[in-house]
Amino acid sequence: MNLIVITPENNFPAEVHLWEALFEAGLQKLHIRKPHASYSDLRSMIGALPEKYHLRLVLHQHHLLAKEFNLGGIHFKSNCHNEDDSIFDSKLTRSRSCHTPLEVLNYYKTHDYVFLSPIFNSISKTGYPSAFYADEMQTFFQDHSEIRNCIALGGIHSENLKTCMNIGFAGCALLGSIWQGNTISPRGIVKRFQHIQSSLNNRHMPKVISSFQFITNDFSPQNELEQIHQVCQAGADWIQLRLKNKTDKEIMKLGKQASEICRQYQATFILNDHVHLVKEMGAHGVHLGKADMPPQRARQLLGPNYIIGGTANNMDDIRKLYQAGVDYIGLGPFRFTNTKKNLAPTLGLQGYSSIVQQCKKEGIKLPIVAIGGIEIDDISELMACRLHGIALSSSVTLADNTKTTTENYLKHINPQLCKN
């Protein structure tokens, strides 16, 4: 379930610092709703926020600022019938407020997501009661299962989030539960957000990025499940299931079996692409190639607790992924490999060292994992480049003994990673 925060109408002192604190705590989308703010006032506030968070902002008014600052999206009131398409492009999400199920039906197809309110008695507006019954809304979503982008708004707090999830909402928008009170500190607002966020966690969603990542392939003598079992037995704790040219049904079947193996070995399970299958499959997250779904959209669908990784071939790719809010980056290729078609230019040690230094210079703090034709003798020099780790596929599965080879790689990266 996605969590969105909406700003209060009136400004708090140094409010931009509060926005930044929420982003640092994991918030992926902040709606700026300042109906009393002038264009210049809002421009100053956005300008004061570090640029790396701009893609997480959605504007409720003064939409032209979205293009000026390269923001994430624009939002429309329920009574707005003349949307200005001249400022809209494919990079901006489009959302809208709705106050009846009929409005949701009218707009859910033409907008990335819609708010429906008030679901519960408002916290921020006294005397603004709920307009819906829970069973009424549950029946509505059951009758219209195609609606998967409706966000609950109005009176949302930690104790009714699960109710929203059970009703069928795709996410919740927070307002009064975050901003109530006259004075709020960055520490205090983060504590509120994390308390609400924690109430959604039915399972542990690890955010620790492993320094040894294994990626399955379809040209090994072993099938994907056998590959996973062997490397997990060897002590690997990060598995990426990569399935190409298979149907959703086939991917789901294999994915659920892979998820169970990873659960037995307490390994993090990542699905390559196919974001729409991640939750049902039981994966901890997704890895996105350059031609896959944009990370921002994946985060909208998965929420803050799931891991999202991205593929990069150069510094420009890393900048884009960093702004998009990914949790780690797979950077490569190191050298030529048969694992992937349409291979990008190889980086070599000098390429990795240069990129890591540039990331440090620009303040980009993301785990970067090397990938592409890596052999055991390469590990010490790669890790000397200050990389977070390595990702392997065919070098493990095409070896004479998958389990033993995995153990050897683990020992070279960090002896403590090998369980045997």
Side-chain angles (χ1 to χ4, degrees):
M1 171 169 278
N2 300 319
L3 288 181
I4 296 171
V5 171
I6 302 174
T7 65
E9 291 187 10
N10 299 314
N11 294 346
F12 278 95
E15 187 175 318
V16 175
H17 292 307
L18 302 180
W19 299 355
E20 189 172 356
L22 285 170
F23 289 136
E24 291 288 343
L27 178 66
Q28 295 301 313
K29 193 176 293 294
L30 178 74
H31 275 237
I32 302 180
R33 181 177 178 269
K34 298 289 184 182
H36 311 302
S38 67
Y39 186 94
S40 60
D41 289 341
L42 202 53
R43 189 176 188 277
S44 296
M45 294 182 78
I46 296 171
L49 183 72
E51 186 178 349
K52 63 181 179 179
Y53 298 124
H54 284 183
L55 281 174
R56 303 190 197 183
L57 297 179
V58 177
L59 282 182
H60 280 229
Q61 70 276 341
H62 303 311
H63 289 161
L64 286 174
L65 290 169
K67 292 192 70 174
E68 179 180 349
F69 287 97
N70 190 28
L71 304 186
I74 52 179
H75 185 86
F76 299 93
K77 297 178 180 179
S78 61
N79 59 0
C80 177
H81 304 298
N82 296 311
E83 297 184 8
D84 186 358
D85 288 326
S86 66
I87 63 169
F88 184 79
D89 59 43
S90 59
K91 296 179 182 179
L92 291 169
T93 62
R94 187 194 305 245
S95 55
R96 174 179 283 271
S97 295
C98 298
H99 299 299
T100 67
L102 179 59
E103 283 186 287
V104 172
L105 284 171
N106 287 339
Y107 292 112
Y108 83 93
K109 288 183 179 180
T110 55
H111 293 68
D112 292 278
Y113 56 95
V114 294
F115 290 161
L116 181 63
S117 67
I119 302 303
F120 303 104
N121 295 338
S122 176
I123 299 172
S124 59
K125 296 181 180 179
T126 305
Y128 194 51
S130 166
F132 310 100
Y133 293 106
D135 56 352
E136 171 191 22
M137 290 310 307
Q138 192 165 26
T139 299
F140 172 73
F141 286 121
Q142 289 172 351
D143 291 342
H144 299 281
S145 58
E146 71 277 12
I147 299 176
R148 300 181 180 180
N149 61 345
C150 187
I151 308 296
L153 170 63
I156 309 295
H157 51 72
S158 60
E159 295 180 7
N160 56 29
L161 277 176
K162 295 288 180 63
T163 300
C164 293
M165 185 166 56
N166 293 334
I167 287 173
F169 285 102
C172 291
L174 309 174
L175 182 56
S177 56
I178 295 292
W179 304 101
Q180 58 184 327
N182 296 322
T183 57
I184 300 178
S185 66
R187 181 178 180 181
I189 201 168
V190 165
K191 187 175 181 180
R192 289 183 184 182
F193 176 71
Q194 290 180 332
H195 175 70
I196 295 172
Q197 189 180 48
S198 66
S199 67
L200 282 177
N201 296 340
N202 293 319
R203 55 178 290 182
H204 176 59
M205 299 302 233
K207 280 283 190 176
V208 177
I209 310 302
S210 176
S211 58
F212 179 93
Q213 301 185 5
F214 171 71
I215 305 170
T216 67
N217 59 70
D218 57 5
F219 48 80
S220 165
Q222 303 169 315
N223 65 39
E224 287 85 359
L225 296 179
E226 291 171 336
Q227 295 171 34
I228 293 171
H229 194 266
Q230 288 291 314
V231 298
C232 283
Q233 274 193 327
D237 60 359
W238 184 286
I239 306 298
Q240 183 187 140
L241 178 63
R242 188 174 187 267
L243 298 170
K244 299 297 181 181
N245 304 315
K246 291 188 182 295
T247 65
D248 281 3
K249 184 176 181 181
E250 292 172 325
I251 294 171
M252 181 60 69
K253 181 179 179 181
L254 277 170
K256 287 186 175 181
Q257 292 173 296
S259 178
E260 178 59 26
I261 296 172
C262 291
R263 187 192 64 79
Q264 292 174 7
Y265 288 94
Q266 297 182 329
T268 299
F269 175 43
I270 302 294
L271 179 64
N272 185 287
D273 197 3
H274 310 291
V275 177
H276 61 294
L277 303 180
V278 167
K279 290 184 178 181
E280 185 178 352
M281 184 181 293
H284 293 107
V286 67
H287 184 91
L288 300 170
K290 294 174 71 173
D292 296 336
M293 178 184 290
Q296 298 95 323
R297 179 60 178 155
R299 185 66 74 190
Q300 291 173 3
L301 295 173
L302 296 178
N305 296 318
Y306 284 80
I307 296 169
I308 296 179
T311 294
N313 302 130
N314 51 52
M315 192 62 210
D316 285 340
D317 292 341
I318 289 177
R319 292 187 184 102
K320 292 174 183 177
L321 289 170
Y322 180 64
Q323 290 182 346
V326 299
D327 296 300
Y328 75 94
I329 288 173
L331 176 65
F334 172 58
R335 65 162 60 92
F336 178 81
T337 173
N338 289 315
T339 304
K340 197 169 184 179
K341 297 179 181 179
N342 303 317
L343 199 67
T346 57
L347 293 170
L349 290 171
Q350 184 174 355
Y352 280 108
S353 179
S354 176
I355 287 175
V356 169
Q357 290 177 19
Q358 186 63 30
C359 286
K360 183 178 181 181
K361 182 178 179 181
E362 296 183 20
I364 297 176
K365 298 179 181 179
L366 274 179
I368 296 178
V369 178
I371 185 170
I374 297 170
E375 299 174 359
I376 285 182
D377 292 340
D378 300 317
I379 293 178
S380 60
E381 290 182 306
L382 281 169
M383 299 308 287
C385 294
R386 302 288 183 179
L387 292 164
H388 181 80
I390 63 169
L392 301 175
S393 184
S394 60
S395 57
V396 170
T397 62
L398 296 181
D400 292 335
N401 188 309
T402 296
K403 181 175 180 290
T404 300
T405 302
T406 303
E407 290 173 348
N408 289 335
Y409 270 102
L410 287 168
K411 289 175 182 177
H412 277 75
I413 297 172
N414 186 341
Q416 294 181 347
L417 289 176
C418 189
K419 299 176 182 177
N420 297 326

